[in-house]
Amino acid sequence: SFDVVGTVFDANFVDYTVELSTGNCVEAAKWVPLHNGETAVQNAKLAEVSVLPADGEYCLKLTAFDKAGRESEATIGFKVDTMPPAVPQLSASVEGKINVHLQWTGNDEPDLAGYRLLRNDQFVSNDLLVGQELLDENLSNGTYVYQILAIDHAGNESELSEPVSVEIDTTPPAVRLRSEERRVGEVW
């Protein structure tokens, strides 16, 4: 549910109506009354929408009437979006021994806002990523597990991608040579 907030006020105010229609405000034609009020309201709740409508575009209309029979009208459009984006597919490879090159499939939802990347269950950045790759640089030795999710403009988040694990190892292998002493006159 959500509240419809606004202002309806006049010295000769009589009442107001809040209505809802599907579609954008230019094409809205089938209005459903949400609330009728007889008290002036200033920057406060005019009505409550108790059940969220189905995903789509909608228009709210506020109509106020005064004692002389005049009316004023205001409309505002909004979208309902409850569908999360698809889960991106993530891949990773070590580059230059201390960097991880991450790539993911791009989502094609028209309302995609960006991506959030996690390294070892922590977000790599507070900002949304808008591309489809990232170079995570100057990492220390260790195992790094990455996951990514997509976010749309309504704030809906996809599920996390499958984890991708990479190992950063800059420690060279230990090597040692041993030589046997030869004694003069000894046969091998």
Side-chain angles (χ1 to χ4, degrees):
S1 73
F2 64 93
D3 292 339
V4 178
V5 176
T7 297
V8 57
F9 180 79
D10 184 78
N12 296 311
F13 169 78
V14 174
D15 63 1
Y16 69 89
T17 303
V18 177
E19 298 172 288
L20 177 71
S21 178
T22 58
N24 65 50
C25 289
V26 173
E27 299 168 357
K30 190 174 182 181
W31 296 99
V32 176
L34 297 177
H35 184 74
N36 293 316
E38 296 178 353
T39 305
V41 175
Q42 291 185 330
N43 289 325
K45 179 177 166 181
L46 296 165
E48 180 181 339
V49 179
S50 57
V51 177
L52 191 65
D55 283 9
E57 196 168 357
Y58 294 89
C59 185
L60 280 170
K61 177 170 70 171
L62 170 62
T63 307
F65 303 92
D66 68 11
K67 292 176 185 174
R70 292 182 296 260
E71 69 180 68
S72 294
E73 184 178 288
T75 58
I76 187 167
F78 68 97
K79 289 183 180 181
V80 174
D81 176 6
T82 59
M83 296 296 296
V87 178
Q89 301 302 309
L90 181 64
S91 64
S93 60
V94 176
E95 287 188 3
K97 298 182 183 178
I98 59 170
N99 304 318
V100 175
H101 183 232
L102 299 141
Q103 292 180 298
W104 52 91
T105 56
N107 289 49
D108 55 6
E109 292 89 355
D111 64 337
L112 182 71
Y115 303 92
R116 301 280 316 268
L117 181 69
L118 290 90
R119 177 195 327 118
N120 297 340
D121 296 321
Q122 300 292 319
F123 287 113
V124 172
S125 170
N126 290 329
D127 298 325
L128 286 178
L129 302 171
V130 293
Q132 294 173 2
E133 65 180 336
L134 177 91
L135 187 62
D136 198 10
E137 299 179 287
N138 302 317
L139 298 169
S140 302
N141 284 348
T143 300
Y144 296 91
V145 179
Y146 293 91
Q147 288 180 287
I148 195 163
L149 59 85
I151 301 176
D152 68 17
H153 288 290
N156 299 312
E157 296 182 354
S158 73
E159 296 292 322
L160 285 169
S161 68
E162 290 295 320
V164 174
S165 180
V166 294
E167 180 79 25
I168 298 292
D169 182 4
T170 60
T171 306
V175 294
R176 191 164 95 191
L177 292 174
R178 183 171 170 236
S179 68
E180 294 285 328
E181 271 187 45
R182 281 184 151 180
R183 294 187 192 152
V184 177
E186 197 173 307
V187 178
W188 287 46

